[in-house]
Amino acid sequence: MSNPRIGVLALQGDVREHLAALNAVGADSVPVRRHVELDAVDALLIPGGESTTMSHLLRELGLIEPLRARLAGGMPAYGSCAGMILLASEIIDAGAQGRAAVPLSGIDMTVRRNAFGRQVDSFEGDVDFAGLDGPVHAVFIRAPWVERIGPGVEVLAQAAGHPVAVRQEAVLATSFHPEVTGDRRIHRLFVDIVTEKA
């Protein structure tokens, strides 16, 4: 597969930036808002945003169970920030009942929402990322971190003593936003994962 078809969940967040980054590294990227669009892609990227709002929209659009089914069936996925939260199997501080962030169980991990603090606590810094040549400049915006990983989950990067990038088989997650820095190595890694899976 030379040009994998990768969807970007287009409910909220840096959708255009992720579409552009994926196209820049050889993917055919398309926005995904409906079940039929999800069925038509080889993989899915879940961008940042507000995880409880995104979960509410996933419920309204009837996408939660189709997403869980595709992930359980081995669909490659990548989640950044809120996307990491949604890909978790367990979420700490998931939000108010009825509007809580919904775990899609793409990676066997427990994630804490807003772990680094509120919007004013957002920050940037360089992190070492396993398998990449040189550190990644990471932008953390109301970012989560990983508190528990299950067997088979690989930690790729850490900050403040917690995992901030992980991978389990064909599913990748970062608590930071690579789409805003111009560094395309993580998007390229994801495209490579999708291509290998195919």
Side-chain angles (χ1 to χ4, degrees):
M1 178 196 297
S2 56
N3 281 26
R5 188 171 176 83
I6 300 179
V8 176
L9 188 64
L11 304 181
Q12 199 190 35
D14 289 344
V15 175
R16 283 181 310 204
E17 292 85 350
H18 281 296
L19 290 167
L22 288 168
N23 286 335
V25 294
D28 174 15
S29 66
V30 294
V32 169
R33 294 182 191 88
R34 299 179 301 159
H35 190 171
V36 66
E37 294 165 341
L38 176 63
D39 288 344
V41 297
D42 303 308
L44 185 70
L45 189 153
I46 305 175
E50 213 296 310
S51 56
T52 57
T53 300
M54 291 172 75
S55 295
H56 172 71
L57 293 169
L58 288 172
R59 286 187 199 95
E60 291 290 308
L61 295 167
L63 281 174
I64 291 174
E65 292 312 319
L67 260 173
R68 283 178 174 156
R70 286 293 311 272
L71 288 165
M75 176 185 69
Y78 167 44
S80 68
C81 198
M84 171 186 259
I85 295 167
L86 296 179
L87 284 174
S89 53
E90 182 183 15
I91 303 167
I92 299 173
D93 295 334
Q97 194 168 1
R99 285 190 63 86
V102 175
L104 299 172
S105 298
I107 296 177
D108 181 9
M109 64 179 173
T110 302
V111 170
R112 181 178 294 278
R113 288 176 71 236
N114 302 329
F116 289 98
R118 302 169 64 82
Q119 189 81 18
V120 296
D121 301 308
S122 298
F123 67 100
E124 302 179 24
D126 290 345
V127 298
D128 292 323
F129 196 106
L132 297 185
D133 55 336
V136 169
H137 188 70
V139 177
F140 296 89
I141 304 170
R142 292 180 61 203
W145 67 39
V146 179
E147 296 215 345
R148 178 200 62 85
I149 59 168
V153 178
E154 179 186 5
V155 175
L156 302 176
Q158 295 192 61
H162 292 275
V164 294
V166 294
R167 176 180 175 181
Q168 184 173 18
E169 297 179 5
V171 184
L172 177 69
T174 63
S175 66
F176 51 88
H177 293 263
E179 76 281 3
V180 301
T181 65
D183 184 340
R184 300 291 176 243
R185 289 177 296 164
I186 292 175
H187 289 87
R188 185 173 291 111
L189 170 63
F190 181 49
V191 171
D192 290 345
I193 290 169
V194 178
T195 304
E196 287 164 15
K197 177 75 175 178

